[in-house]
Amino acid sequence: MLNALEVFTTVVVGVMVGVEFSVAFVMNPIFSALPEDSGQLGRAHGGRMLGVVMPVWYIGSLVLVGVWAVAGWHHHGTGLAVTAGALLLLSVVMSLALLVPINNRTKAWTPDNRPADWKEQMNRWDRYHYVRVAVIIAAFALLVTALG
């Protein structure tokens, strides 16, 4: 049963990493290359859509890693799982403190109501997101290593 939990948790975190990596290195660059206001509108829509799904995914991943750590307390790889959990907790704190406030503003923007510094705010969100992606990639790598 523990093995199934470990594999399931690793897959859930891995898919989350893939989505966030895609946002950072595929979707947002595509949006930035679109003409006129299309990119900003695309990012606003993405913020609304992912703003509903990602909190559940981040918290769910953290809970799964916590259950793994408790259930496998005396097994090989538990220290790696605990460290991965700490990194996932850091990603949640980063999200709440840095990314969500920006996202909450930007998801309601239209070309008519966005502030003058909207591109600067998008760039700040992107920089924070790159760091968060690095943190969750590290957590995922630890979980993969803990499987061994």
PDB file of all heavy atoms in Angstrom, residues 3 10 16 41 46 48 54-55 58 61 64 82 124 134:
ATOM      1  N   ASN A   3       3.825   1.596  -1.285  1.00  0.00           N
ATOM      2  CA  ASN A   3       4.390   1.782  -2.623  1.00  0.00           C
ATOM      3  C   ASN A   3       3.399   2.472  -3.551  1.00  0.00           C
ATOM      4  O   ASN A   3       3.778   3.353  -4.332  1.00  0.00           O
ATOM      5  CB  ASN A   3       4.827   0.442  -3.234  1.00  0.00           C
ATOM      6  CG  ASN A   3       6.081  -0.092  -2.582  1.00  0.00           C
ATOM      7  OD1 ASN A   3       6.826   0.635  -1.954  1.00  0.00           O
ATOM      8  ND2 ASN A   3       6.306  -1.389  -2.727  1.00  0.00           N
ATOM      9  N   THR A  10       4.013  10.786  -6.353  1.00  0.00           N
ATOM     10  CA  THR A  10       5.041  11.239  -7.293  1.00  0.00           C
ATOM     11  C   THR A  10       4.425  11.625  -8.635  1.00  0.00           C
ATOM     12  O   THR A  10       4.812  12.639  -9.232  1.00  0.00           O
ATOM     13  CB  THR A  10       6.119  10.154  -7.466  1.00  0.00           C
ATOM     14  OG1 THR A  10       6.664   9.844  -6.168  1.00  0.00           O
ATOM     15  CG2 THR A  10       7.242  10.617  -8.366  1.00  0.00           C
ATOM     16  N   MET A  16       1.838  18.162 -11.816  1.00  0.00           N
ATOM     17  CA  MET A  16       1.771  19.565 -11.401  1.00  0.00           C
ATOM     18  C   MET A  16       3.005  20.317 -11.862  1.00  0.00           C
ATOM     19  O   MET A  16       2.908  21.437 -12.383  1.00  0.00           O
ATOM     20  CB  MET A  16       1.629  19.674  -9.875  1.00  0.00           C
ATOM     21  CG  MET A  16       1.542  21.104  -9.369  1.00  0.00           C
ATOM     22  SD  MET A  16       1.372  21.224  -7.578  1.00  0.00           S
ATOM     23  CE  MET A  16       3.024  20.789  -7.037  1.00  0.00           C
ATOM     24  N   LEU A  41      -5.002  39.203 -22.481  1.00  0.00           N
ATOM     25  CA  LEU A  41      -6.294  38.538 -22.304  1.00  0.00           C
ATOM     26  C   LEU A  41      -6.115  37.035 -22.069  1.00  0.00           C
ATOM     27  O   LEU A  41      -6.815  36.439 -21.246  1.00  0.00           O
ATOM     28  CB  LEU A  41      -7.181  38.784 -23.524  1.00  0.00           C
ATOM     29  CG  LEU A  41      -7.657  40.232 -23.700  1.00  0.00           C
ATOM     30  CD1 LEU A  41      -8.311  40.417 -25.063  1.00  0.00           C
ATOM     31  CD2 LEU A  41      -8.586  40.629 -22.579  1.00  0.00           C
ATOM     32  N   GLY A  46      -6.052  32.423 -18.340  1.00  0.00           N
ATOM     33  CA  GLY A  46      -5.279  31.366 -17.692  1.00  0.00           C
ATOM     34  C   GLY A  46      -5.250  31.542 -16.182  1.00  0.00           C
ATOM     35  O   GLY A  46      -5.335  30.571 -15.430  1.00  0.00           O
ATOM     36  N   ARG A  48      -7.540  32.943 -14.344  1.00  0.00           N
ATOM     37  CA  ARG A  48      -8.855  32.557 -13.796  1.00  0.00           C
ATOM     38  C   ARG A  48      -8.996  31.039 -13.754  1.00  0.00           C
ATOM     39  O   ARG A  48      -9.437  30.474 -12.753  1.00  0.00           O
ATOM     40  CB  ARG A  48      -9.975  33.174 -14.636  1.00  0.00           C
ATOM     41  CG  ARG A  48     -10.145  34.667 -14.441  1.00  0.00           C
ATOM     42  CD  ARG A  48     -11.378  35.211 -15.136  1.00  0.00           C
ATOM     43  NE  ARG A  48     -11.357  35.025 -16.577  1.00  0.00           N
ATOM     44  CZ  ARG A  48     -10.795  35.858 -17.459  1.00  0.00           C
ATOM     45  NH1 ARG A  48     -10.181  36.938 -17.015  1.00  0.00           N
ATOM     46  NH2 ARG A  48     -10.850  35.610 -18.755  1.00  0.00           N
ATOM     47  N   MET A  54      -5.148  25.117  -9.306  1.00  0.00           N
ATOM     48  CA  MET A  54      -3.821  24.958  -8.709  1.00  0.00           C
ATOM     49  C   MET A  54      -3.802  24.971  -7.179  1.00  0.00           C
ATOM     50  O   MET A  54      -3.024  24.223  -6.584  1.00  0.00           O
ATOM     51  CB  MET A  54      -2.846  25.994  -9.278  1.00  0.00           C
ATOM     52  CG  MET A  54      -2.598  25.838 -10.785  1.00  0.00           C
ATOM     53  SD  MET A  54      -2.305  24.143 -11.382  1.00  0.00           S
ATOM     54  CE  MET A  54      -0.676  23.833 -10.750  1.00  0.00           C
ATOM     55  N   PRO A  55      -4.619  25.777  -6.493  1.00  0.00           N
ATOM     56  CA  PRO A  55      -4.582  25.685  -5.020  1.00  0.00           C
ATOM     57  C   PRO A  55      -4.893  24.276  -4.520  1.00  0.00           C
ATOM     58  O   PRO A  55      -4.234  23.778  -3.600  1.00  0.00           O
ATOM     59  CB  PRO A  55      -5.651  26.692  -4.579  1.00  0.00           C
ATOM     60  CG  PRO A  55      -5.741  27.666  -5.697  1.00  0.00           C
ATOM     61  CD  PRO A  55      -5.500  26.863  -6.948  1.00  0.00           C
ATOM     62  N   TYR A  58      -1.762  22.096  -5.316  1.00  0.00           N
ATOM     63  CA  TYR A  58      -0.628  22.350  -4.423  1.00  0.00           C
ATOM     64  C   TYR A  58      -0.887  21.795  -3.026  1.00  0.00           C
ATOM     65  O   TYR A  58      -0.027  21.105  -2.463  1.00  0.00           O
ATOM     66  CB  TYR A  58      -0.325  23.859  -4.342  1.00  0.00           C
ATOM     67  CG  TYR A  58       0.604  24.341  -5.423  1.00  0.00           C
ATOM     68  CD1 TYR A  58       0.144  24.655  -6.694  1.00  0.00           C
ATOM     69  CD2 TYR A  58       1.963  24.482  -5.170  1.00  0.00           C
ATOM     70  CE1 TYR A  58       0.998  25.105  -7.682  1.00  0.00           C
ATOM     71  CE2 TYR A  58       2.834  24.934  -6.146  1.00  0.00           C
ATOM     72  CZ  TYR A  58       2.340  25.239  -7.406  1.00  0.00           C
ATOM     73  OH  TYR A  58       3.202  25.677  -8.384  1.00  0.00           O
ATOM     74  N   SER A  61      -1.039  17.966  -3.101  1.00  0.00           N
ATOM     75  CA  SER A  61       0.310  17.384  -3.212  1.00  0.00           C
ATOM     76  C   SER A  61       1.021  17.414  -1.868  1.00  0.00           C
ATOM     77  O   SER A  61       1.660  16.433  -1.471  1.00  0.00           O
ATOM     78  CB  SER A  61       1.130  18.158  -4.244  1.00  0.00           C
ATOM     79  OG  SER A  61       0.582  18.012  -5.532  1.00  0.00           O
ATOM     80  N   LEU A  64      -0.501  14.732   0.352  1.00  0.00           N
ATOM     81  CA  LEU A  64      -0.047  13.394  -0.054  1.00  0.00           C
ATOM     82  C   LEU A  64       1.384  13.125   0.409  1.00  0.00           C
ATOM     83  O   LEU A  64       1.688  12.033   0.905  1.00  0.00           O
ATOM     84  CB  LEU A  64      -0.138  13.241  -1.572  1.00  0.00           C
ATOM     85  CG  LEU A  64      -1.535  13.030  -2.144  1.00  0.00           C
ATOM     86  CD1 LEU A  64      -1.517  13.149  -3.664  1.00  0.00           C
ATOM     87  CD2 LEU A  64      -2.090  11.680  -1.718  1.00  0.00           C
ATOM     88  N   VAL A  82      10.249  13.996   3.344  1.00  0.00           N
ATOM     89  CA  VAL A  82      10.051  15.113   4.276  1.00  0.00           C
ATOM     90  C   VAL A  82      10.644  16.394   3.694  1.00  0.00           C
ATOM     91  O   VAL A  82      10.027  17.464   3.749  1.00  0.00           O
ATOM     92  CB  VAL A  82      10.656  14.785   5.663  1.00  0.00           C
ATOM     93  CG1 VAL A  82      10.714  16.021   6.549  1.00  0.00           C
ATOM     94  CG2 VAL A  82       9.865  13.673   6.333  1.00  0.00           C
ATOM     95  N   ARG A 124       7.024  40.619 -12.947  1.00  0.00           N
ATOM     96  CA  ARG A 124       7.293  40.260 -11.547  1.00  0.00           C
ATOM     97  C   ARG A 124       6.687  38.886 -11.250  1.00  0.00           C
ATOM     98  O   ARG A 124       7.333  38.027 -10.642  1.00  0.00           O
ATOM     99  CB  ARG A 124       6.712  41.315 -10.601  1.00  0.00           C
ATOM    100  CG  ARG A 124       7.082  41.064  -9.147  1.00  0.00           C
ATOM    101  CD  ARG A 124       6.596  42.155  -8.186  1.00  0.00           C
ATOM    102  NE  ARG A 124       6.631  43.481  -8.737  1.00  0.00           N
ATOM    103  CZ  ARG A 124       5.557  44.248  -8.919  1.00  0.00           C
ATOM    104  NH1 ARG A 124       4.355  43.822  -8.571  1.00  0.00           N
ATOM    105  NH2 ARG A 124       5.658  45.456  -9.428  1.00  0.00           N
ATOM    106  N   ALA A 134      11.311  26.132  -9.944  1.00  0.00           N
ATOM    107  CA  ALA A 134      12.560  25.492  -9.510  1.00  0.00           C
ATOM    108  C   ALA A 134      12.355  24.753  -8.187  1.00  0.00           C
ATOM    109  O   ALA A 134      12.867  23.629  -8.006  1.00  0.00           O
ATOM    110  CB  ALA A 134      13.668  26.536  -9.382  1.00  0.00           C
TER     111      ALA A 134
END
